[in-house]
Amino acid sequence: MEKIKTYNDLLEKIKNEEKFLLYIKSEGCSVCIADFPKVKEIVDKNTFTSYYIQADEMTEAVGQLNLYSAPIVILFYDGKEIHRQARIIDFSELDYRIKQTL
């Protein structure tokens, strides 16, 4: 999973990538740390493009995308958000939603 460092880079991904998963984590969030490898395993298994951001380092994204808790996973398809899970991630649901876009 590649880290996106700037809000402009994130906007470029949303505009230009057909589909991808965005994982949002926060500094000092133990759930974020625990869930990251599980989400990575799902995207790797499905050969699905994925990126992550550190919410603390990208405050503009927090406001623009309503990222007020962590962790969050968002699936984007054709420049639009098609699925979002926050705080408690249902991994089987996430796997199902990814497979729907393949």
Side-chain angles (χ1 to χ4, degrees), residues 41-43 45-46 85 90-100 102:
E41 180 182 332
I42 291 169
V43 295
K45 176 181 74 170
N46 290 294
Q85 293 184 37
D90 181 337
F91 300 106
S92 59
E93 173 77 9
L94 180 62
D95 188 49
Y96 173 76
R97 297 292 181 168
I98 287 173
K99 286 182 172 143
Q100 283 184 315
L102 298 178

Side-chain angles (χ1 to χ4, degrees), residues 6-23:
T6 69
Y7 184 63
N8 285 336
D9 289 346
L10 176 57
L11 292 177
E12 283 296 313
K13 301 286 186 201
I14 293 170
K15 181 181 174 186
N16 297 321
E17 299 267 343
E18 179 191 13
K19 57 188 175 187
F20 69 94
L21 175 139
L22 180 65
Y23 185 82

Side-chain angles (χ1 to χ4, degrees), residues 20-80:
F20 69 94
L21 175 139
L22 180 65
Y23 185 82
I24 296 94
K25 57 186 188 169
S26 180
E27 187 68 36
C29 170
S30 60
V31 177
C32 300
I33 293 166
D35 285 356
F36 187 79
K38 295 173 187 173
V39 172
K40 186 173 180 341
E41 180 182 332
I42 291 169
V43 295
D44 288 349
K45 176 181 74 170
N46 290 294
T47 321
F48 200 79
T49 304
S50 61
Y51 303 100
Y52 76 93
I53 63 170
Q54 192 74 32
D56 317 273
E57 298 171 1
M58 200 180 298
T59 54
E60 191 172 7
V62 170
Q64 295 295 322
L65 297 174
N66 297 316
L67 309 175
Y68 298 115
S69 64
I72 302 171
V73 291
I74 303 174
L75 292 177
F76 286 95
Y77 188 82
D78 285 336
K80 294 183 174 68

